[in-house]
Amino acid sequence: MKRVLVIAYLYPPIFNSGTRRSLEFVNHLPDHGWTPTVLTVDSPDPTDCDASLLDEVRPGTHIERAPLWTRHMAPRIAAKFAGVIDPQRLAGAIEWRVRRFWNVPDECASWIPMAVEHAVRLHAAQPFDTIYATGWPWSSFLVAEKISRRTGVPFVVDYRDLWKPAEVEWDKTTWLQRRLNPGLERRVLRAASGVIATTESFLGLLPQELLPKNRFFITNGFDEDDFPAAAPAPKGDQVRIVYTGVWRPGYGPDDLYAALRLLKERGAPNLARLNIVTAGYAPGPAREYGIDDIVEERGRVQHAEATALMTGASVLYLPVSKGVYEHASMPGKLFEYLGSGRPILASAQPVSEVAKTLTQVGGARRADPGDVAGLADILASLCESGPGAIFSPRIPSELAMYTRANLTGKLALALDSIVRQPQSAA
């Protein structure tokens, strides 16, 4: 068994869409000849955590946790002034202020020195064959680059998103980040032995002249164990549409809510058949749109409840982030939706990674982003005829390539190629 150090800031118990990729890769890597050691953050903010995620970690997984430098040092500094000011209060003030200004490449920057030192000690005790780092946060990439420079171990970086700003509301960067991050990314790519991205478009948007010869695209996926073989269907003539995910500027069920409001204003027939259930964000928007009699907003839920909502749906609604992500990305939610076996109604560009995948796998309909009237027409057809009349069957042979087990096999082959690469090229 070869050994890989997996640098994953987002890992259980942190509740984030990026957590699932690192969690499932680590769970399946031992089945493909690799023993992973996970290096993640110690004591993450409790508001960002879901303790139930720890139950999904494969038994026996070796997890190492390094603290943020600010969280490690602030109490020590504050203790020196215990006779003057409350040390707990002072420690919080120090940590907040240092993290506010130590934010290159991102707000996790103070994790870098602690993570590097921890990893170097781990390698000295039991050497690693390679290093895998997944970002966001991009601090993980810098951790990998620094460890590699000190130990000579080759590393591969995994782009779940794009490092360069996407010019969308939720991807804001500071002036200093915009100034310094491009140079940091170039430094990482020059030193990397391999690059992975979740879509071919992402690979094409990276600086081609700096990419190593080992380039791979490995999509997100789904774990078959998360979904029962025979999912329950809604009873009677009810049509239940489910959305699970966040709602932030540039990403969320805006079009769906607007289409529902339009149908209600039109007095659409059979609208009473429609039941919308959402989860992942604070309740309230349905009331603002005047559709709270149609929409049930459940707020943030655990992953097991989210997958249960998916399998109990008639149709799943999928939006796509605005900006470059509209054509270049495939959200992780897409693959969980596929794994549930339910039809997918997407607001996605016709020429995009999402549209290409939905066409390949089947069982989906699409409306252009912002085409509220077009989306409302599809919803009206669902109310009148039900999902069976407007959705084609899914293609099982195409779906199988997106299981986490198969995708981890691709990751293992990528790691194998990095290890086989001559050391002088690493």
Side-chain angles (χ1 to χ4, degrees), residues 13 228 247:
W247 192 340

Side-chain angles (χ1 to χ4, degrees), residues 365-404:
R365 288 287 299 271
R366 186 195 59 79
D368 289 341
D371 184 7
V372 172
L375 184 58
D377 289 342
I378 297 175
L379 295 176
S381 297
L382 280 170
C383 291
E384 180 179 353
S385 307
I390 67 172
F391 287 97
S392 62
R394 193 146 290 149
I395 305 171
S397 59
E398 297 291 342
L399 185 63
M401 66 188 294
Y402 296 116
T403 64
R404 293 286 189 184

Side-chain angles (χ1 to χ4, degrees), residues 238-245 247 253 256-257 260 274-287 289-301 305 309 312:
Q238 183 185 51
V239 178
R240 182 183 301 130
I241 299 178
V242 169
Y243 169 73
T244 63
W247 192 340
L256 177 63
Y257 275 43
L260 291 168
L274 203 58
N275 169 231
I276 313 296
V277 181
T278 69
Y281 52 88
R287 186 179 301 108
Y289 276 78
I291 54 173
D292 48 320
D293 56 331
I294 305 173
V295 179
E296 176 189 353
E297 297 174 326
R298 296 198 181 178
R300 180 168 160 176
V301 301
E305 185 176 347
L309 286 173

Side-chain angles (χ1 to χ4, degrees), residues 5 19-20 37 59 72 101 181 218 222 246 273 289 291 396:
L5 176 65
T19 299
R20 297 224 65 82
T37 294
H72 175 70
F101 293 102
N181 279 3
I218 304 175
F222 65 92
V246 299
R273 293 184 62 189
Y289 276 78
I291 54 173

Side-chain angles (χ1 to χ4, degrees), residues 201-269:
S201 294
F202 276 5
L203 277 178
L205 290 169
L206 297 176
Q208 300 298 297
E209 71 280 4
L210 298 178
L211 295 187
K213 66 178 183 179
N214 289 304
R215 309 171 187 183
F216 316 90
F217 92 93
I218 304 175
T219 67
N220 286 304
F222 65 92
D223 194 318
E224 294 168 295
D225 293 339
D226 288 340
F227 303 96
K235 297 179 180 179
D237 61 354
Q238 183 185 51
V239 178
R240 182 183 301 130
I241 299 178
V242 169
Y243 169 73
T244 63
V246 299
W247 192 340
R248 61 192 179 194
Y251 178 77
D254 315 57
D255 286 356
L256 177 63
Y257 275 43
L260 291 168
R261 181 170 59 189
L262 180 60
L263 287 177
K264 190 173 179 180
E265 291 170 350
R266 290 176 177 174

Side-chain angles (χ1 to χ4, degrees), residues 326-396:
E326 281 191 296
H327 68 84
S329 73
M330 286 194 286
K333 190 62 61 184
L334 164 63
F335 300 97
E336 290 199 312
Y337 279 9
L338 291 174
S340 74
R342 293 308 189 199
I344 297 173
L345 174 57
S347 291
Q349 295 286 358
V351 179
S352 64
E353 294 281 0
V354 167
K356 181 172 66 175
T357 300
L358 291 177
T359 300
Q360 168 202 1
V361 177
R365 288 287 299 271
R366 186 195 59 79
D368 289 341
D371 184 7
V372 172
L375 184 58
D377 289 342
I378 297 175
L379 295 176
S381 297
L382 280 170
C383 291
E384 180 179 353
S385 307
I390 67 172
F391 287 97
S392 62
R394 193 146 290 149
I395 305 171

Side-chain angles (χ1 to χ4, degrees), residues 151-231:
T151 63
V153 177
F155 73 98
V156 58
V157 290
D158 176 29
Y159 280 83
R160 297 191 319 272
D161 296 301
L162 292 172
W163 192 338
K164 63 181 181 182
E167 306 303 330
V168 292
E169 287 296 320
W170 54 266
D171 191 23
K172 293 296 185 182
T173 54
T174 67
W175 176 87
L176 199 58
Q177 288 168 345
R178 291 192 296 273
R179 182 69 179 253
L180 299 180
N181 279 3
L184 294 175
E185 183 176 23
R186 288 193 295 270
R187 190 179 85 187
V188 166
L189 290 176
R190 288 192 186 100
S193 294
V195 170
I196 299 169
T198 53
T199 70
E200 289 182 290
S201 294
F202 276 5
L203 277 178
L205 290 169
L206 297 176
Q208 300 298 297
E209 71 280 4
L210 298 178
L211 295 187
K213 66 178 183 179
N214 289 304
R215 309 171 187 183
F216 316 90
F217 92 93
I218 304 175
T219 67
N220 286 304
F222 65 92
D223 194 318
E224 294 168 295
D225 293 339
D226 288 340
F227 303 96

